[in-house]
Amino acid sequence: MLDDEELKFIDDWRFDHRMPTRAAAIRELIRRGLVAEDVDDPDTEGKSTTDFRIETE
């Protein structure tokens, strides 16, 4: 589940990239994350789901 801030981030990205639906935008973001090679593996030791929030700049 995503909170309102995370949904806003995704919706803003969706509109900036002219994606047809929120679901399409989420699939595209997941695809990009899965094929990215320059991203470090997440530190999961002792963390819960709330530790993995979208951090906007």
Side-chain angles (χ1 to χ4, degrees):
M1 296 191 63
L2 302 170
D3 64 27
D4 290 340
E5 184 178 337
E6 292 168 324
L7 288 174
K8 181 181 179 336
F9 182 83
I10 290 170
D11 285 340
D12 289 348
W13 187 92
R14 171 191 168 200
F15 291 119
D16 288 346
H17 292 84
R18 305 177 79 68
M19 299 296 293
T21 63
R22 182 184 283 167
I26 291 170
R27 283 192 297 273
E28 177 61 15
L29 290 166
I30 291 169
R31 184 192 69 76
R32 289 177 181 216
L34 290 172
V35 300
E37 294 184 14
D38 61 343
V39 178
D40 294 332
D41 289 338
D43 174 19
T44 58
E45 187 69 32
K47 294 195 176 174
S48 69
T49 190
T50 57
D51 295 316
F52 297 94
R53 295 223 161 300
I54 296 172
E55 294 181 18
T56 58
E57 297 176 339

